[in-house]
Amino acid sequence: MVSSLEDRKIIELFFERSEQAIVELSNKYNNICSKVAFNILNNKQDTEECLNDAYLGLWNTIPPQTPNPLLSYVCRIVRNLAIKKYHKNTALKRNSIYDVALDELENCFPSSELLEDEFDVIETARIIDEFLETLDWENRVMFVRRYWYSDSIDDLAKYFKTSNHNISVRLSRTREKLKKHLIQKGVSL
C-alpha cells in the first residue's frame, strides 16, 4: 500500500508524535530506502535492521528537525546507517557492489588524511555539488544513482536502456571530469 500523504503531512504526524508517521513514511518510501540499504549491505536481514534503526532515528530527530525534502533526509539517514553497519560487518570482508563503487571513486577524492577539518569536507562537498550541476540530467542521475544509491552497473543499464559497457564508459568519463574539476578548484588529491 503506497501512501498518498504529502511529505509535509507526514512531518506533521511526527510533530504530533503519532506513530502513524512511521507507518505513512514506510508506506511511501520503504522501497527506495530498502534499495539504498540493500545496495550497500547486500543482506536482507541487515537491511531490515538498518531501516528499523533509521525509522527510530527519524522519530528521535523530527521534531526538532523539519526536513525538506523528506526523501533526501530519510535516504541520508538510511545510507549513513547502512555504511556504518557495512563497516562493522565487513572489517575483513568485501562486498562486491559497494566496494567496487567506492574503488571507482578512490582516485577522484582526497584521502581522509588530506581533509584536515570539517571546513575542508564541506568545501569539497560544495565543489562536488557544483560539478554535478554542470552535468546533463542523464549523466548526473547516473552518477548519483551509482555513487550515492550504490546501484549496480546492471541496474543502471536497465534503467537507462543501454549496455553495461556504455554505462561503464560514461561513468569513467564523468569520474575523470570530476577529478579534473576538483584539481582545478584546488582540492588536493
Side-chain angles (χ1 to χ4, degrees):
M1 179 172 145
V2 176
S3 173
S4 61
L5 271 180
E6 295 178 21
D7 288 355
R8 66 178 175 75
K9 294 284 188 189
I10 295 172
I11 292 170
E12 286 174 14
L13 290 171
F14 274 103
F15 271 83
E16 293 168 5
R17 306 314 289 160
S18 169
E19 292 179 13
Q20 189 64 29
I22 299 293
V23 172
E24 294 296 336
L25 182 81
S26 177
N27 287 341
K28 189 167 186 178
Y29 293 128
N30 191 64
N31 287 344
I32 191 165
C33 291
S34 293
K35 183 165 177 48
V36 168
F38 189 81
N39 283 350
I40 294 169
L41 297 168
N42 201 25
N43 179 292
K44 188 174 180 173
Q45 186 176 359
D46 286 347
T47 295
E48 290 173 11
E49 184 179 325
C50 179
L51 291 179
N52 289 333
D53 290 347
Y55 294 148
L56 177 63
L58 288 161
W59 184 260
N60 290 331
T61 60
I62 305 173
Q65 298 294 320
T66 307
N68 186 16
L70 180 59
L71 177 59
S72 297
Y73 187 76
V74 172
C75 284
R76 187 178 77 227
I77 289 173
V78 168
R79 185 174 187 275
N80 288 345
L81 288 170
I83 289 170
K84 185 186 289 186
K85 184 152 195 65
Y86 166 81
H87 287 301
K88 179 181 172 194
N89 290 349
T90 59
L92 299 175
K93 299 184 289 184
R94 290 178 58 85
N95 170 317
S96 60
I97 295 172
Y98 186 61
D99 282 331
V100 169
L102 289 179
D103 289 347
E104 290 172 3
L105 284 176
E106 185 174 26
N107 294 326
C108 293
F109 294 108
S111 69
S112 56
E113 294 86 35
L114 292 175
L115 294 173
E116 295 178 13
D117 58 33
E118 188 175 342
F119 174 77
D120 290 337
V121 172
I122 291 169
E123 182 61 14
T124 301
R126 187 195 64 73
I127 292 168
I128 293 168
D129 284 343
E130 177 184 275
F131 167 76
L132 290 173
E133 289 175 12
T134 69
L135 299 176
D136 63 50
W137 177 86
E138 198 168 89
N139 284 317
R140 182 173 50 247
V141 169
M142 189 181 299
F143 190 86
V144 170
R145 287 185 65 133
R146 176 68 173 153
Y147 301 115
W148 178 257
Y149 295 107
S150 302
D151 280 0
S152 69
I153 298 293
D154 284 341
D155 288 343
L156 291 171
K158 289 174 190 165
Y159 180 83
F160 289 104
K161 296 178 176 80
T162 189
S163 69
N164 288 14
H165 178 73
N166 181 281
I167 297 294
S168 295
V169 168
R170 289 173 67 181
L171 286 170
S172 176
R173 289 178 181 159
T174 303
R175 288 192 308 271
E176 280 303 310
K177 288 178 186 176
L178 172 60
K179 187 175 179 179
K180 288 177 185 174
H181 183 80
L182 289 169
I183 291 169
Q184 180 184 27
K185 295 294 182 174
V187 176
S188 299
L189 305 179

